[in-house]
Amino acid sequence: MLRRKGVSMAVVAIVIVVIIVVAGIAAWAAMRPAAPRKPLTLVYATTQATMSFDPTDHADETTTICVVNTYDPLLYPQKGKPPKPWIATEWSVSDDGLEWTFKIRQGVKFHSGRELTAEDVAFSMNRELTIAKGMSYLWRGIVERAEAVDKYTVKFYLSKPYAEFPATLVHLFIVDKEEVMNHIKKPGPYGDYGDYGKEWLKTHDAGSGPFKVAEVKVGEKIVFEAFKDYWHAKETYGGWPKNAPERVEYYVYGEQATLVTLLKGGKVDIVEQWLPPKTFLELAGEKGIVVQEDPDVKLFFVSMHNQKPPFDDVWVRRACSYAVNYQEIIDVVFKGGVQAVGPVPVAAPGHNDELTPYTYDLDKAIECLKNSKYWERFHNGTGFTVTYMYVSGLESERMVGELLKQYFAPLNITVDFKPEKWATMCELMSSPETCPHMVAIFHTLKYPSPDCHTYLMFHTSSWGTFMSCAFYNNTQVDQLLDQARATPELDARYALYKEVQKIVYDDAAALFLVNPIHRIAYRDWVKGYEYVGLLGFDLNFYNLRVEGKPSA
């Protein structure tokens, strides 16, 4: 009996000891700092290596993605509508159309902690005009200068009326003047401003946008981190939005096949829009992947260099326009879309619906050649060899080239291929001397106006950009476009743009091929994607939500 009692007491003692040990461990664990929560991460992948955080460099989709995520524009684009107030809350124009005054939102903070003011807005525009790169073609020769009237009022002085001026300000991204000036290198090409901070801005930002640049490996990788003091988040959501990505990893890969593999494996959340249409159709059948399709206000065209034989002859350009099987290109290459009828996309505001489309008619193409000054050369079999330049690795552009080679053979026009990286193409297109005969171009709407697909493509002052690589020269068109920009009344202004469309289409200034369908693929845990229809703005990662993504 005593033995049993002793055993019982021993058991009780052991239990007590165990309880004390467990309680101690629990207390120790409770006192330990919790492991840091991993930030909600979105992963984006592309094959395009161009990247910069200098707003004066942004001109294509990938550089626009860089700045739209780290800076705020003066006005913000809306789908199918005029721009809405953003950094500017209201604006007015003088009776003569030469002075535009904008009120600036108060309380907006830069990533540096400084408040954004009118001085920063004026500095940003003047910097654009001085450096004269990127999107500055929207304002060069029109905006003379900008100045801060007071802390929250900025004024722009124009040399001539420009009715579409507010529409262009979706591309005026506001830089932190003090931050830029603290990082200039001297000497430099801009006098007292040295290099204007351009070297530093290759890998750093000076913005107020939803994300800060945390890491950059140029041409390979970007890491964005949420700016938790973002003014729009605080005003709209009372803080960083629920399920909005807190970290974005942006990767560049050399092959589109790699993007597809990573997306299927869930290693990447969203990929570029430039995959071949056939690939998107295949991805649409994959479990857990969403392929979103939207009508596009984009023009896919192939330039015909209007200053180089044989395309310096309008009859040769018309012949080529009749030699193309448009429906075949739509069906085989783009897997949908509509034929482009003129430069302004069919779904865009201001499109001229009265144009007669070019049709596939080889007999008519030959008749056009007979009117050409080069007819004898075509007739005797000598013909011409032309160069077709396209983005290397972009399958849709290569496929179009293969079809053009087939279409032009009966005309005695031989097509040679020149695949290049996009950055190299832009350099070659900057001059009529270096630009090849033909270039494949996707021209996305840059601002909500027909001016984007007329003035930027065909006014002689626009030569030097990828949009104007046809090097079209028509004094009447220049005059009409100047007149349109100076016309404040919308219907009268659009009538002038429509007249321009008729002229350049009749002149076959380029091969206007397709208004394609916009497609993009992402994992089904990505929510909130909306195609804005304006260059790069749909990939403002702040607007996306990540819900139910598996843990790594």
Side-chain angles (χ1 to χ4, degrees), residues 127-322:
R127 184 173 180 270
E128 289 275 0
L129 297 174
T130 300
I131 294 174
K133 294 181 179 178
M135 287 289 187
S136 66
Y137 59 76
L138 298 174
W139 309 299
R140 291 198 307 268
I142 302 168
V143 180
E144 293 182 336
R145 73 185 194 283
E147 70 175 15
V149 178
D150 58 41
K151 188 174 182 180
Y152 300 113
T153 307
V154 66
K155 185 171 285 190
F156 299 94
Y157 297 91
L158 278 58
S159 60
K160 52 189 174 183
Y162 188 11
E164 301 287 359
F165 181 56
T168 70
L169 296 175
V170 299
H171 289 294
L172 180 60
F173 290 91
I174 312 307
V175 302
D176 182 335
K177 176 182 178 179
E178 185 175 303
E179 189 81 339
V180 171
M181 293 304 293
N182 284 340
H183 292 93
I184 63 173
K185 289 176 64 176
K186 290 185 178 181
Y190 307 108
D192 291 341
Y193 292 98
D195 74 338
Y196 241 138
K198 288 193 69 64
E199 183 67 27
W200 186 76
L201 287 169
K202 288 179 180 179
T203 53
H204 303 80
D205 77 83
S208 61
F211 293 95
K212 301 180 291 184
V213 176
E215 179 186 346
V216 179
K217 291 183 179 178
V218 176
E220 298 179 21
K221 176 185 178 181
I222 305 169
V223 175
F224 299 95
E225 288 183 352
F227 177 45
K228 295 297 182 70
D229 213 12
Y230 186 43
W231 70 270
H232 185 270
K234 292 166 67 176
E235 286 190 13
T236 309
Y237 306 103
W240 193 252
K242 182 181 179 181
N243 296 324
E246 298 165 304
R247 174 184 171 96
V248 177
E249 296 177 2
Y250 175 118
Y251 293 99
V252 179
Y253 296 100
E255 300 292 335
Q256 290 183 328
T258 305
L259 272 58
V260 173
T261 300
L262 293 170
L263 183 68
K264 287 180 177 180
K267 302 298 184 184
V268 162
D269 301 317
I270 184 168
V271 296
E272 67 180 16
Q273 63 163 308
W274 307 112
L275 299 180
K278 180 182 177 182
T279 302
F280 279 119
L281 296 181
E282 292 169 355
L283 286 172
E286 291 281 334
K287 185 179 179 180
I289 292 178
V290 176
V291 174
Q292 182 164 323
E293 295 186 346
D294 292 279
D296 209 347
V297 283
K298 178 188 296 165
L299 170 68
F300 176 74
F301 73 97
V302 172
S303 65
M304 293 184 284
H305 198 315
N306 285 215
Q307 308 304 312
K308 283 186 176 181
F311 298 133
D312 58 340
D313 189 318
V314 66
W315 288 104
V316 175
R317 300 196 302 271
R318 287 172 180 158
C320 290
S321 298
Y322 281 117

Side-chain angles (χ1 to χ4, degrees), residues 29-216:
M31 291 190 315
R32 286 183 66 194
R37 181 181 66 85
K38 289 185 177 180
L40 188 59
T41 301
L42 179 81
V43 182
Y44 173 77
T46 180
T47 57
Q48 302 300 308
T50 53
M51 56 178 64
S52 172
F53 304 95
D54 185 344
T56 66
D57 287 337
H58 103 278
D60 57 17
E61 182 182 65
T62 49
T63 48
T64 299
I65 293 170
C66 289
V67 298
V68 81
N69 281 286
T70 52
Y71 294 82
D72 281 305
L74 194 61
L75 303 179
Y76 204 89
Q78 301 184 89
K79 188 174 184 177
K81 300 177 183 178
K84 62 182 176 181
W86 202 249
I87 293 302
T89 56
E90 58 183 273
W91 55 94
S92 60
V93 62
S94 61
D95 290 340
D96 61 6
L98 298 180
E99 295 181 9
W100 289 81
T101 304
F102 290 78
K103 294 292 183 180
I104 303 306
R105 187 180 300 276
Q106 299 183 27
V108 175
K109 286 187 178 180
F110 284 115
H111 300 159
S112 66
R114 285 187 59 249
E115 185 184 12
L116 187 157
T117 69
E119 184 66 32
D120 298 294
V121 177
F123 177 81
S124 299
M125 174 59 85
N126 293 330
R127 184 173 180 270
E128 289 275 0
L129 297 174
T130 300
I131 294 174
K133 294 181 179 178
M135 287 289 187
S136 66
Y137 59 76
L138 298 174
W139 309 299
R140 291 198 307 268
I142 302 168
V143 180
E144 293 182 336
R145 73 185 194 283
E147 70 175 15
V149 178
D150 58 41
K151 188 174 182 180
Y152 300 113
T153 307
V154 66
K155 185 171 285 190
F156 299 94
Y157 297 91
L158 278 58
S159 60
K160 52 189 174 183
Y162 188 11
E164 301 287 359
F165 181 56
T168 70
L169 296 175
V170 299
H171 289 294
L172 180 60
F173 290 91
I174 312 307
V175 302
D176 182 335
K177 176 182 178 179
E178 185 175 303
E179 189 81 339
V180 171
M181 293 304 293
N182 284 340
H183 292 93
I184 63 173
K185 289 176 64 176
K186 290 185 178 181
Y190 307 108
D192 291 341
Y193 292 98
D195 74 338
Y196 241 138
K198 288 193 69 64
E199 183 67 27
W200 186 76
L201 287 169
K202 288 179 180 179
T203 53
H204 303 80
D205 77 83
S208 61
F211 293 95
K212 301 180 291 184
V213 176
E215 179 186 346
V216 179

